[in-house]
Amino acid sequence: MKSLAVVVVILAVSLSCICTAEEETQHLAKRSRAPRGWTMIDRASLNQIMTVQLLLKINNQDVLDLLFDSISDPNSATYGHFLTSQQVKQLAEPSQQVVDQIITDLALNYSGISNITYKGDRIIIKATVGAMQQIFNTSIHNYSRDSDGRFFLKQLGNSSLPLRLFQYIDFVHGLNDFPPVHKPHKNNINHHHQSRNLFNHYFKTKSSTKSVTSAITPSISTSVTATKSATSSKSTSTSTSATATKSITPSKSVTASGTISYSKSASTAPIREAVVINPSGASNT
């Protein structure tokens, strides 16, 4: 009986050690509050979807370090012999075996994962909040960015990753890191009103300029037209007239003596001006 009890105790201890080893984790990060420029709203629903990226460790790091030193050393035979991007990728990217192992582990041990994608140096996980909380042993909350009110899902408290996965991971992106805060410029607070005032000022100034130009132009053009008419009819006593169709269009007449007069139609009393043309064709005002 005693020997049987000893065997049971040994088995229990062994199983406990095995379970402890299987559940051993590595701490990742801790967050106790929202960062500056953010507000923690509430705990996220388990069915909300979020995306996290696992950046994998660089493969052949020691080989890459040696190559870098030799390429940068003027006394080396390989000095200046730079590698192509494809050669660096082949040396640095993780092996397909490691990638397959991570993807298989995630797919078999966690429910709620909708998509797992491998891109070069990272594995992208798209899953429910419930699945992310299990993978990283953390609590996911909704955070609001104060500058624009956008919501993001991030951790609150501690986060960790099982060692069987952490041994291949260099960094976790999208779990505890926050996007930059866009601070509104103080000059843009009343941007809409400033733009509207500028718009009104521009068109008001343009309208005023147009009115002034319209008031000046008829007198010049009328003088030229009248001079031409008077020159062509120096020896006659005929008269020509034009009826104003707008308030800025003058009416004009030519007399036998060579005197030309025109007036502008307006709501007030008409303004009359005169241009005297000499028989020689020169004009005096």
Side-chain angles (χ1 to χ4, degrees), residues 4-20:
L4 181 59
V6 171
V7 171
V8 171
V9 171
I10 294 175
L11 288 174
V13 173
S14 300
L15 289 174
S16 177
C17 293
I18 292 174
C19 292
T20 303

Side-chain angles (χ1 to χ4, degrees), residues 171-187:
F171 181 75
V172 177
H173 176 72
L175 183 65
N176 186 53
D177 51 296
F178 284 74
V181 176
H182 303 290
K183 295 182 179 180
H185 197 276
K186 62 180 180 180
N187 293 333

Side-chain angles (χ1 to χ4, degrees), residues 44-50 127-134 140-141 153:
S45 170
L46 296 179
N47 294 325
Q48 287 182 259
I49 303 297
M50 64 182 299
T128 62
V129 167
M132 293 297 187
Q133 291 184 153
Q134 292 179 3
I140 306 297
H141 284 64
L153 294 168

Side-chain angles (χ1 to χ4, degrees), residues 174-237:
L175 183 65
N176 186 53
D177 51 296
F178 284 74
V181 176
H182 303 290
K183 295 182 179 180
H185 197 276
K186 62 180 180 180
N187 293 333
N188 292 334
I189 297 177
N190 297 321
H191 177 71
H192 173 75
H193 299 289
Q194 292 176 357
S195 300
R196 174 55 59 182
N197 292 336
L198 182 62
F199 177 86
N200 292 335
H201 174 74
Y202 171 75
F203 279 96
K204 183 178 180 181
T205 304
K206 186 175 181 181
S207 176
S208 301
T209 305
K210 184 176 180 180
S211 300
V212 173
T213 305
S214 300
I216 296 175
T217 302
S219 108
I220 298 174
S221 60
T222 303
S223 299
V224 174
T225 305
T227 304
K228 184 176 180 181
S229 300
T231 304
S232 60
S233 58
K234 285 192 255 184
S235 59
T236 64
S237 61

Side-chain angles (χ1 to χ4, degrees), residues 139-152:
S139 176
I140 306 297
H141 284 64
N142 288 299
Y143 292 83
S144 173
R145 184 161 58 185
D146 298 341
S147 60
D148 56 8
R150 289 187 61 189
F151 286 89
F152 291 84

Side-chain angles (χ1 to χ4, degrees), residues 35 66 80 88 93 104 111 117 150 166 172 175 188 238 262 269 278 282:
L66 291 174
V88 174
E93 68 180 4
T104 302
S111 60
T117 307
R150 289 187 61 189
F166 180 81
V172 177
L175 183 65
N188 292 334
T238 58
Y262 67 92
N278 297 326

